[in-house]
Amino acid sequence: MMKICCIGAGYVGGPTMAMIALNCHDIDVAVVDIAAPRINAWNSSNLPIFEPGLDDVVKACRGRNLFFSTDVEKHVAEADIVFVSVNTPTKLRGLGAGKAADLTYWESAARMIADVSTTDKIVVEKSTVPVKTAEAIEKILNHNSNGIQFQILSNPEFLAEGTAIEDLMKPDRVLIGGRETPDGKKAIETLKDVYAHWVPADRIITMNLWSAELSKLAANALLAQRISSVNAMSALCEATGADVSEVAYAVGKDSRIGPRFLNASVGYGGSCFQKDILNLVYICECNGLTEVANYWKQVVQINDYQKARFVKRVVSSMFNTVSGKKIAILGFAFKKDTGDTRETAAMDVCRGLIGDKAQLSIYDPQVTREQILRDLAVDKLDWDHPRHLQQSLNSKHVSVVSDPYEATKGAHGVCILTEWDEFKTLEYERIYKSMQKPAFVFDGRNVIDVNELRKIGFIVYSVGKPLDPWVKDLPAAPPS
Ligand SMILES: NC(=O)c1ccc[n+]([C@@H]2O[C@H](COP(=O)([O-])OP(=O)(O)OC[C@H]3O[C@@H](n4cnc5c(N)ncnc54)[C@H](O)[C@@H]3O)[C@@H](O)[C@H]2O)c1
Ligand SMILES: O=c1ccn([C@@H]2O[C@H](COP(=O)(O)OP(=O)(O)O[C@H]3O[C@H](CO)[C@@H](O)[C@H](O)[C@H]3O)[C@@H](O)[C@H]2O)c(=O)[nH]1
């Protein structure tokens, strides 16, 4: 029986391996991690990540051909294929700080694979890595191999959180990059056979290693660019009276552009977009491509601008100060249907409002109080490092509550920062009655019915929508 081991039991390692186990009864899959609490959670009824459909998949195969363990070395030693799905955060210090990918976790995993292996192995890059990483990994493995043969493949993951199970079950494509040598081609075929258990052959694309590595960065850069484009347009809509939803609809009707991924928002978040674009920028700079680097940098800058613009709208609408005012924050996750908060726009918005001395009352249906307080305490870019290095915020400016009506009670303003479906159907009349007046709603996700809320009496700002008369005469982006 073929054995697969995946190093890293995170958002990618857990669901992708569960999907392989579900579809490949003839393969034993072990997911290993150094974080014992994470592994314990994978082995419990309370999985460490919230992802629709994941519980059922895990339940169907855990203990059958899917195992979660902290015995990293044992499972790596026994495996025929080792996936590496560890964190690849943005480097915080030294050369390339603030842009380059930090490959510390990847390198230590590679050295461990070399140390414990006694049989030939295929090593698969599942983490998102800079182009040419496979070359470095090959060197580490082969210089420490004791005669063992390693083939390195790039198999980047394209799942989006919130729809991970659907994306894994019916992927748009599976990408496998490998060396163009006989052994490289054989390794590609072996991995292809795994996916062929459930993915149609025409969706499994093979290519050279560097194309596969770069395609992952390119896909995320283009997706993020689309959001920054529509967000840039949202600022112009507010200035001109156009409605960004109508503009996006009209634009998306062009079959060359397509309708998806054109929702204006308070800014994209998530663990990947910013990190991967910064990484791409760094690679361009290292290759002397300054203009190309600046082009992609702008996608991140517009995203930062969009978040800052939102905070300024809130402050300037509320008489230019939020000091001491209660503001309800509805939604903290970086998108709906996930409890993940990595690089969530809510973090920057909350920090901006706390900077202006607001009293925040935060509600999110999936994010825990501990997570929110930890997020608001860590420095930007520091979040993708081990948890024991992180602290919790101890601030009189923030409370986290478990009910949206408690969050909004007595508040001067409400900021909607995640597009949770439940925010569409809240009892806004009840919320209005319980708030200070004038009562403001700032919708960073365009989830509420602006006209309905204005009828109730709210002063409403909704990203990229025609402005409320109250907000209209205030500058779009007052000086900071
Ligand atoms: N989250 C996503 O939606 C997504 C999608 C596609 C690609 N990616 C990429 O996949 C990679 C992993 O992302 P993630 O979201 O799963 O991260 P994650 O933080 O959820 O999981 C990574 C896990 O690796 C473990 N780990 C780190 N070093 C280890 C080691 N030496 N041995 C054993 N375990 C170790 C950590 O403890 C952690 O549990 C990143 O490169 C990311 O860019 C993420
Ligand atoms: O029209 C849109 C679509 C998305 N977003 C925001 O963009 C961010 C990212 O959303 P999404 O791409 O759906 O989620 P991720 O889980 O970050 O997935 C992205 O990043 C993953 C990690 O690399 C890739 O695997 C996926 O293909 C890629 O979509 C979130 O904050 C969304 O709210 C918008 O603001 N407007």
Side-chain angles (χ1 to χ4, degrees):
M1 192 145 164
M2 176 187 269
K3 282 185 189 290
I4 287 180
C5 172
C6 176
I7 305 176
Y11 283 87
V12 171
T16 51
M17 292 304 119
M19 191 54 65
I20 291 179
L22 183 76
N23 289 293
C24 310
H25 292 223
D26 53 338
I27 299 178
D28 256 352
V29 182
V31 192
V32 297
D33 205 295
I34 39 176
R38 219 166 199 184
I39 290 298
N40 291 342
W42 279 112
N43 281 321
S44 76
S45 54
N46 198 6
L47 300 186
I49 61 178
F50 170 70
E51 191 63 58
L54 178 63
D55 283 40
D56 291 341
V57 175
V58 170
K59 261 189 217 140
C61 37
R62 192 174 53 194
R64 180 189 76 191
N65 63 335
L66 176 66
F67 306 92
F68 295 93
S69 168
T70 48
D71 200 345
V72 180
E73 298 187 358
K74 169 181 175 280
H75 288 285
V76 169
E78 289 174 355
D80 304 292
I81 304 179
V82 181
F83 285 81
V84 183
S85 185
V86 299
N87 330 50
T88 50
T90 304
K91 217 173 154 183
L92 295 176
R93 279 169 277 280
L95 203 63
K99 280 185 283 206
D102 180 347
L103 294 177
T104 313
Y105 305 110
W106 230 110
E107 184 174 337
S108 89
R111 287 184 186 279
M112 183 271 298
I113 296 171
D115 283 348
V116 305
S117 292
T118 51
T119 54
D120 294 353
K121 296 195 191 315
I122 296 172
V123 176
V124 184
E125 290 176 344
K126 197 59 164 162
S127 304
T128 304
V129 290
V131 58
K132 288 290 191 184
T133 298
E135 199 168 73
I137 301 300
E138 258 173 8
K139 283 185 184 140
I140 293 170
L141 289 171
N142 292 333
H143 280 83
N144 296 282
S145 71
N146 305 320
I148 307 292
Q149 295 296 313
F150 293 105
Q151 277 302 319
I152 321 294
L153 299 178
S154 164
N155 172 221
E157 184 49 58
F158 294 99
L159 69 81
E161 288 176 30
T163 54
I165 296 304
E166 222 178 301
D167 295 342
L168 288 168
M169 195 53 120
K170 290 184 180 164
D172 285 346
R173 77 302 207 186
V174 167
L175 206 58
I176 305 175
R179 286 285 186 193
E180 287 151 300
T181 57
D183 285 343
K185 286 181 183 158
K186 202 168 138 210
I188 290 176
E189 284 308 311
T190 305
L191 186 56
K192 208 173 158 182
D193 287 345
V194 172
Y195 284 106
H197 280 74
W198 80 99
V199 180
D202 62 350
R203 295 205 171 199
I204 307 178
I205 307 170
T206 62
M207 55 182 64
N208 84 34
L209 266 172
W210 325 129
S211 306
E213 287 180 336
L214 187 55
S215 297
K216 173 65 195 175
L217 297 182
N220 273 356
L222 263 84
L223 287 168
Q225 178 207 43
R226 224 171 132 88
I227 302 169
S228 277
S229 298
V230 81
N231 281 345
M233 217 46 89
S234 74
L236 190 54
C237 286
E238 291 168 26
T240 57
D243 179 329
V244 75
S245 304
E246 292 178 354
V247 174
Y249 178 75
V251 169
K253 277 288 174 192
D254 186 323
S255 59
R256 294 168 300 175
I257 296 174
R260 296 178 64 192
F261 241 71
L262 283 178
N263 294 322
S265 65
V266 57
Y268 62 72
S271 63
C272 297
F273 282 174
Q274 170 167 297
K275 162 173 84 76
D276 293 350
I277 296 175
L278 292 174
N279 183 354
L280 187 68
V281 165
Y282 183 69
I283 297 168
C284 293
E285 286 172 351
C286 290
N287 283 284
L289 302 170
T290 311
E291 288 76 6
V292 184
N294 288 341
Y295 174 77
W296 289 113
K297 218 184 278 178
Q298 195 60 22
V299 173
V300 176
Q301 284 168 353
I302 286 287
N303 198 49
D304 287 338
Y305 166 76
Q306 189 74 347
K307 291 181 274 189
R309 204 168 74 77
F310 187 86
V311 173
K312 285 174 178 171
R313 277 285 189 211
V314 176
V315 178
S316 68
S317 305
M318 299 175 77
F319 314 101
N320 245 343
T321 178
V322 289
S323 180
K325 291 178 185 166
K326 179 175 176 183
I327 307 234
I329 302 292
L330 299 187
F332 198 81
F334 82 99
K335 64 188 278 197
K336 72 169 182 176
D337 293 338
T338 176
D340 194 354
T341 59
R342 294 178 292 177
E343 285 295 342
T344 176
M347 230 183 297
D348 284 347
V349 171
C350 289
R351 283 197 190 112
L353 294 173
I354 294 170
D356 229 292
K357 299 203 172 65
Q359 286 292 135
L360 303 185
S361 185
I362 306 176
Y363 165 75
D364 186 288
Q366 280 299 333
V367 185
T368 62
R369 183 175 181 277
E370 292 67 37
Q371 183 64 49
I372 292 173
L373 295 181
R374 202 164 34 230
D375 286 341
L376 291 175
V378 293
D379 287 338
K380 223 173 151 39
L381 299 178
D382 237 348
W383 50 267
D384 206 1
H385 288 268
R387 213 163 247 202
H388 66 272
L389 299 176
Q390 299 176 9
Q391 294 178 341
S392 183
L393 183 76
N394 182 8
S395 165
K396 55 184 187 321
H397 289 289
V398 179
S399 66
V400 181
V401 297
S402 55
D403 174 51
Y405 299 101
E406 191 185 338
T408 49
K409 193 172 172 199
H412 290 254
V414 177
C415 297
I416 300 175
L417 302 181
T418 311
E419 71 280 25
W420 287 104
D421 289 336
E422 66 179 69
F423 298 156
K424 292 181 188 160
T425 53
L426 290 174
E427 294 170 46
Y428 281 101
E429 300 241 16
R430 174 179 164 196
I431 289 176
Y432 181 75
K433 281 189 194 136
S434 76
M435 285 176 65
Q436 307 280 342
K437 307 295 176 322
F440 297 83
V441 169
F442 303 92
D443 183 359
R445 295 291 185 166
N446 288 337
V447 293
I448 48 120
D449 183 329
V450 176
N451 292 331
E452 281 302 310
L453 262 68
R454 284 192 184 139
K455 261 191 237 155
I456 294 173
F458 284 105
I459 295 163
V460 183
Y461 165 78
S462 199
V463 171
K465 300 277 184 177
L467 295 175
D468 199 295
W470 182 286
V471 183
K472 208 170 196 155
D473 298 329
L474 300 166
S480 32

Short mmCIF file of all heavy atoms in Angstrom, two decimals, residues 242-269:
data_model
loop_
_atom_site.label_atom_id
_atom_site.label_comp_id
_atom_site.label_asym_id
_atom_site.label_seq_id
_atom_site.Cartn_x
_atom_site.Cartn_y
_atom_site.Cartn_z
N ALA A 242 -21.59 57.08 -9.27
CA ALA A 242 -21.81 55.76 -9.88
C ALA A 242 -21.91 54.73 -8.76
O ALA A 242 -21.51 54.99 -7.63
CB ALA A 242 -20.64 55.43 -10.81
N ASP A 243 -22.45 53.55 -9.11
CA ASP A 243 -22.61 52.48 -8.12
C ASP A 243 -21.69 51.33 -8.52
O ASP A 243 -21.83 50.76 -9.61
CB ASP A 243 -24.09 52.04 -8.13
CG ASP A 243 -24.36 50.91 -7.14
OD1 ASP A 243 -23.45 50.09 -6.90
OD2 ASP A 243 -25.50 50.85 -6.64
N VAL A 244 -20.75 50.98 -7.66
CA VAL A 244 -19.72 50.01 -8.03
C VAL A 244 -20.31 48.63 -8.38
O VAL A 244 -19.77 47.92 -9.23
CB VAL A 244 -18.63 49.90 -6.93
CG1 VAL A 244 -19.12 49.13 -5.72
CG2 VAL A 244 -17.36 49.28 -7.49
N SER A 245 -21.43 48.28 -7.75
CA SER A 245 -22.03 46.97 -8.06
C SER A 245 -22.55 46.98 -9.50
O SER A 245 -22.43 45.99 -10.23
CB SER A 245 -23.20 46.65 -7.13
OG SER A 245 -22.76 46.71 -5.81
N GLU A 246 -23.14 48.11 -9.90
CA GLU A 246 -23.64 48.20 -11.28
C GLU A 246 -22.48 48.21 -12.28
O GLU A 246 -22.53 47.55 -13.31
CB GLU A 246 -24.50 49.47 -11.43
CG GLU A 246 -25.79 49.38 -10.62
CD GLU A 246 -26.68 50.63 -10.70
OE1 GLU A 246 -26.26 51.65 -11.29
OE2 GLU A 246 -27.77 50.57 -10.15
N VAL A 247 -21.43 48.94 -11.93
CA VAL A 247 -20.27 49.00 -12.82
C VAL A 247 -19.65 47.60 -12.96
O VAL A 247 -19.35 47.13 -14.06
CB VAL A 247 -19.23 50.02 -12.30
CG1 VAL A 247 -17.95 49.99 -13.13
CG2 VAL A 247 -19.82 51.44 -12.31
N ALA A 248 -19.49 46.92 -11.82
CA ALA A 248 -18.89 45.58 -11.85
C ALA A 248 -19.76 44.62 -12.65
O ALA A 248 -19.25 43.78 -13.42
CB ALA A 248 -18.70 45.06 -10.42
N TYR A 249 -21.07 44.75 -12.50
CA TYR A 249 -21.99 43.87 -13.25
C TYR A 249 -21.83 44.10 -14.74
O TYR A 249 -21.70 43.16 -15.53
CB TYR A 249 -23.43 44.17 -12.80
CG TYR A 249 -24.47 43.36 -13.53
CD1 TYR A 249 -24.64 42.01 -13.23
CD2 TYR A 249 -25.26 43.94 -14.53
CE1 TYR A 249 -25.59 41.26 -13.91
CE2 TYR A 249 -26.21 43.19 -15.20
CZ TYR A 249 -26.37 41.85 -14.90
OH TYR A 249 -27.29 41.10 -15.57
N ALA A 250 -21.80 45.38 -15.11
CA ALA A 250 -21.68 45.72 -16.54
C ALA A 250 -20.34 45.22 -17.10
O ALA A 250 -20.28 44.62 -18.18
CB ALA A 250 -21.79 47.24 -16.71
N VAL A 251 -19.30 45.44 -16.35
CA VAL A 251 -17.96 45.04 -16.80
C VAL A 251 -17.87 43.51 -16.89
O VAL A 251 -17.35 42.95 -17.86
CB VAL A 251 -16.90 45.60 -15.83
CG1 VAL A 251 -15.53 45.00 -16.10
CG2 VAL A 251 -16.83 47.12 -15.92
N GLY A 252 -18.41 42.85 -15.88
CA GLY A 252 -18.31 41.38 -15.81
C GLY A 252 -19.11 40.67 -16.89
O GLY A 252 -18.91 39.48 -17.15
N LYS A 253 -20.04 41.37 -17.51
CA LYS A 253 -20.84 40.77 -18.60
C LYS A 253 -19.98 40.54 -19.84
O LYS A 253 -20.36 39.80 -20.74
CB LYS A 253 -22.02 41.68 -18.95
CG LYS A 253 -23.20 41.49 -18.04
CD LYS A 253 -23.88 40.16 -18.33
CE LYS A 253 -24.98 39.87 -17.35
NZ LYS A 253 -25.46 38.47 -17.43
N ASP A 254 -18.86 41.23 -19.92
CA ASP A 254 -17.92 41.00 -21.02
C ASP A 254 -17.30 39.61 -20.79
O ASP A 254 -16.66 39.38 -19.77
CB ASP A 254 -16.83 42.08 -20.97
CG ASP A 254 -15.88 42.00 -22.16
OD1 ASP A 254 -15.57 40.87 -22.59
OD2 ASP A 254 -15.45 43.06 -22.63
N SER A 255 -17.53 38.71 -21.74
CA SER A 255 -17.08 37.32 -21.49
C SER A 255 -15.57 37.22 -21.36
O SER A 255 -15.05 36.27 -20.80
CB SER A 255 -17.60 36.39 -22.58
OG SER A 255 -17.12 36.84 -23.83
N ARG A 256 -14.86 38.23 -21.86
CA ARG A 256 -13.40 38.18 -21.66
C ARG A 256 -13.02 38.51 -20.23
O ARG A 256 -11.97 38.13 -19.75
CB ARG A 256 -12.71 39.19 -22.61
CG ARG A 256 -12.86 38.83 -24.07
CD ARG A 256 -12.43 39.97 -24.94
NE ARG A 256 -13.24 41.17 -24.67
CZ ARG A 256 -13.01 42.36 -25.23
NH1 ARG A 256 -12.00 42.54 -26.06
NH2 ARG A 256 -13.79 43.38 -24.95
N ILE A 257 -13.89 39.22 -19.53
CA ILE A 257 -13.59 39.60 -18.14
C ILE A 257 -14.25 38.63 -17.17
O ILE A 257 -13.60 38.11 -16.27
CB ILE A 257 -14.02 41.06 -17.87
CG1 ILE A 257 -13.20 42.01 -18.76
CG2 ILE A 257 -13.86 41.43 -16.40
CD1 ILE A 257 -13.63 43.46 -18.71
N GLY A 258 -15.54 38.36 -17.37
CA GLY A 258 -16.24 37.41 -16.49
C GLY A 258 -16.71 38.05 -15.20
O GLY A 258 -16.15 39.06 -14.75
N PRO A 259 -17.77 37.48 -14.59
CA PRO A 259 -18.43 38.14 -13.46
C PRO A 259 -17.81 37.87 -12.09
O PRO A 259 -18.12 38.57 -11.13
CB PRO A 259 -19.84 37.54 -13.50
CG PRO A 259 -19.65 36.18 -14.09
CD PRO A 259 -18.48 36.27 -15.03
N ARG A 260 -16.97 36.87 -11.94
CA ARG A 260 -16.56 36.48 -10.59
C ARG A 260 -15.42 37.35 -10.06
O ARG A 260 -14.67 37.94 -10.82
CB ARG A 260 -16.14 35.01 -10.59
CG ARG A 260 -17.30 34.10 -10.94
CD ARG A 260 -16.87 32.66 -10.98
NE ARG A 260 -16.43 32.17 -9.68
CZ ARG A 260 -15.79 31.02 -9.52
NH1 ARG A 260 -15.52 30.26 -10.57
NH2 ARG A 260 -15.42 30.64 -8.33
N PHE A 261 -15.36 37.44 -8.75
CA PHE A 261 -14.24 38.13 -8.10
C PHE A 261 -14.19 39.62 -8.43
O PHE A 261 -13.12 40.19 -8.63
CB PHE A 261 -12.92 37.45 -8.51
CG PHE A 261 -12.18 36.89 -7.33
CD1 PHE A 261 -12.66 35.77 -6.68
CD2 PHE A 261 -11.03 37.48 -6.85
CE1 PHE A 261 -12.02 35.25 -5.57
CE2 PHE A 261 -10.37 36.98 -5.74
CZ PHE A 261 -10.86 35.86 -5.10
N LEU A 262 -15.36 40.23 -8.51
CA LEU A 262 -15.42 41.67 -8.79
C LEU A 262 -16.20 42.40 -7.70
O LEU A 262 -16.79 43.44 -7.97
CB LEU A 262 -16.07 41.91 -10.15
CG LEU A 262 -15.20 41.66 -11.40
CD1 LEU A 262 -16.02 41.89 -12.67
CD2 LEU A 262 -13.97 42.56 -11.42
N ASN A 263 -16.22 41.83 -6.49
CA ASN A 263 -16.96 42.49 -5.41
C ASN A 263 -16.06 43.50 -4.71
O ASN A 263 -15.05 43.11 -4.11
CB ASN A 263 -17.45 41.47 -4.38
CG ASN A 263 -18.47 40.54 -4.99
OD1 ASN A 263 -19.31 40.96 -5.79
ND2 ASN A 263 -18.38 39.27 -4.64
N ALA A 264 -16.48 44.76 -4.75
CA ALA A 264 -15.71 45.78 -4.02
C ALA A 264 -15.82 45.48 -2.52
O ALA A 264 -16.82 44.93 -2.06
CB ALA A 264 -16.28 47.16 -4.31
N SER A 265 -14.79 45.81 -1.78
CA SER A 265 -14.80 45.51 -0.35
C SER A 265 -13.90 46.48 0.39
O SER A 265 -13.23 47.32 -0.22
CB SER A 265 -14.30 44.08 -0.12
OG SER A 265 -12.95 43.97 -0.52
N VAL A 266 -13.87 46.31 1.70
CA VAL A 266 -12.99 47.12 2.55
C VAL A 266 -11.53 46.77 2.30
O VAL A 266 -10.62 47.45 2.77
CB VAL A 266 -13.42 46.93 4.04
CG1 VAL A 266 -13.37 45.45 4.43
CG2 VAL A 266 -12.57 47.73 4.99
N GLY A 267 -11.30 45.73 1.52
CA GLY A 267 -9.93 45.30 1.21
C GLY A 267 -9.83 43.79 1.30
O GLY A 267 -10.52 43.19 2.12
N TYR A 268 -9.00 43.20 0.45
CA TYR A 268 -8.85 41.75 0.55
C TYR A 268 -7.96 41.43 1.75
O TYR A 268 -7.13 42.21 2.17
CB TYR A 268 -8.27 41.14 -0.74
CG TYR A 268 -6.89 41.62 -1.11
CD1 TYR A 268 -5.75 41.22 -0.40
CD2 TYR A 268 -6.70 42.49 -2.19
CE1 TYR A 268 -4.49 41.65 -0.75
CE2 TYR A 268 -5.44 42.93 -2.54
CZ TYR A 268 -4.34 42.51 -1.82
OH TYR A 268 -3.09 42.95 -2.15
N GLY A 269 -8.19 40.23 2.29
CA GLY A 269 -7.34 39.73 3.37
C GLY A 269 -6.97 38.30 3.08
O GLY A 269 -7.02 37.86 1.93
#
